[in-house]
C-alpha cells in the first residue's frame, strides 16, 4: 500500500471509529431524531435564512430529500417555516424552542467528545496542525474542482 492509499484508508478508519464511538451516546441523547435530522437542525441554526436550496448545498443532499426532511422536522415541531416580507416566494426555516434544545444537546455532545480527545490534540505542534490543515484544504479544493468539472450539482 502506497502512502496515498494508506492516508486515505487511515482517514476512513478514523472517521468510521469516530462515528462508531460517538454513535451510542448520540443515539441515546437524541432518540427522537435521525442523524440527518440533527445535521439539518445544526445547519439551520448555524446559517441565517436557511432555505431548501442552501440546506441541500450545505448537507450534500438533493432538494427533494431536504423537502422531505424539513417536512418531518416541522411535523415534529423542531423547525418552522417563514417568509420575508420583501420575498413572499422563498420559504426559510428556523428552529423552534424544541429544535434549539436538540441543537444544544448536539453541541454539548460534541464538546464532550472534543474534551475526551483533547489528550491527542495537546500533543500536536502548531507546525503539525498547519501541515494537516494545508493538506485538508488542498484536498478539499481539489474535490470542489472535480465536482464542478463533472457538473455535479445539488438539484
Amino acid at each position: 500500500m502506497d502512502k496515498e492509499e494508506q492516508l486515505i484508508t487511515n482517514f476512513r478508519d478514523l472517521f468510521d471509529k469516530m462515528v462508531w464511538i460517538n454513535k451510542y451516546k448520540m443515539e441515546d441523547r437524541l432518540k427522537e431524531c435521525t442523524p440527518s435530522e440533527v445535521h439539518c437542525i445544526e445547519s439551520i441554526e448555524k446559517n441565517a435564512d436557511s432555505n431548501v436550496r442552501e440546506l441541500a448545498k450545505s448537507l450534500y443532499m438533493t432538494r427533494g430529500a431536504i423537502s422531505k426532511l424539513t417536512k418531518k422536522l416541522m411535523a415534529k415541531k423542531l423547525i418552522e417555516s417563514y417568509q420575508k416580507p420583501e420575498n413572499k416566494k422563498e420559504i426559510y426555516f428556523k428552529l423552534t424552542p424544541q429544535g434549539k434544545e436538540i441543537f444544544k444537546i448536539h453541541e454539548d455532545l460534541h464538546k464532550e467528545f472534543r474534551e475526551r480527545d483533547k489528550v491527542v490534540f495537546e500533543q500536536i505542534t502548531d507546525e503539525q496542525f498547519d501541515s494537516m490543515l494545508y493538506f485538508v484544504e488542498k484536498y478539499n479544493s481539489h474535490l470542489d474542482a472535480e465536482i464542478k468539472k463533472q457538473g455535479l450539482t445539488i438539484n
Side-chain angles (χ1 to χ4, degrees):
M1 181 181 318
D2 66 14
K3 286 184 179 185
E4 282 179 37
E5 191 176 349
Q6 186 177 359
L7 184 62
I8 296 298
T9 299
N10 287 349
F11 269 130
R12 284 189 185 129
D13 287 346
L14 176 66
F15 181 74
D16 289 345
K17 282 178 191 173
M18 286 174 63
V19 169
W20 183 73
I21 196 170
N22 296 347
K23 177 183 178 184
Y24 301 102
K25 197 167 271 196
M26 287 277 201
E27 286 177 350
D28 183 54
R29 297 281 312 277
L30 299 165
K31 287 181 186 92
E32 62 272 13
C33 293
T34 66
S36 293
E37 290 170 343
V38 173
H39 289 122
C40 188
I41 286 169
E42 179 183 36
S43 188
I44 289 168
E45 182 65 13
K46 289 185 174 182
N47 301 293
D49 298 329
S50 294
N51 59 24
V52 169
R53 187 180 336 97
E54 292 303 317
L55 289 170
K57 191 175 171 184
S58 73
L59 297 171
Y60 297 95
M61 296 173 78
T62 64
R63 289 192 312 220
I66 293 297
S67 291
K68 287 179 185 178
L69 192 54
T70 53
K71 283 181 180 137
K72 285 181 186 177
L73 290 170
M74 284 193 286
K76 291 180 176 187
K77 302 202 183 316
L78 298 173
I79 67 170
E80 56 191 18
S81 63
Y82 67 94
Q83 293 175 308
K84 294 180 179 181
E86 70 274 6
N87 183 357
K88 294 290 187 189
K89 182 180 155 190
E90 194 68 55
I91 296 171
Y92 301 95
F93 302 100
K94 64 181 179 180
L95 301 187
T96 64
Q98 299 94 317
K100 286 186 182 284
E101 184 58 30
I102 296 294
F103 176 79
K104 183 177 178 346
I105 291 167
H106 186 242
E107 288 291 295
D108 289 347
L109 284 167
H110 277 285
K111 285 178 189 169
E112 182 182 323
F113 301 149
R114 280 193 305 274
E115 190 62 35
R116 175 198 65 208
D117 300 338
K118 194 177 189 178
V119 63
V120 174
F121 291 97
E122 290 173 338
Q123 299 174 40
I124 306 296
T125 67
D126 282 344
E127 292 79 19
Q128 289 169 325
F129 271 120
D130 290 343
S131 180
M132 288 185 277
L133 289 169
Y134 174 79
F135 170 76
V136 170
E137 289 166 5
K138 192 93 168 148
Y139 197 23
N140 197 27
S141 293
H142 165 73
L143 293 177
D144 286 343
E146 282 298 311
I147 288 167
K148 189 174 183 178
K149 186 168 98 179
Q150 292 180 29
L152 300 173
T153 58
I154 303 298
N155 53 356

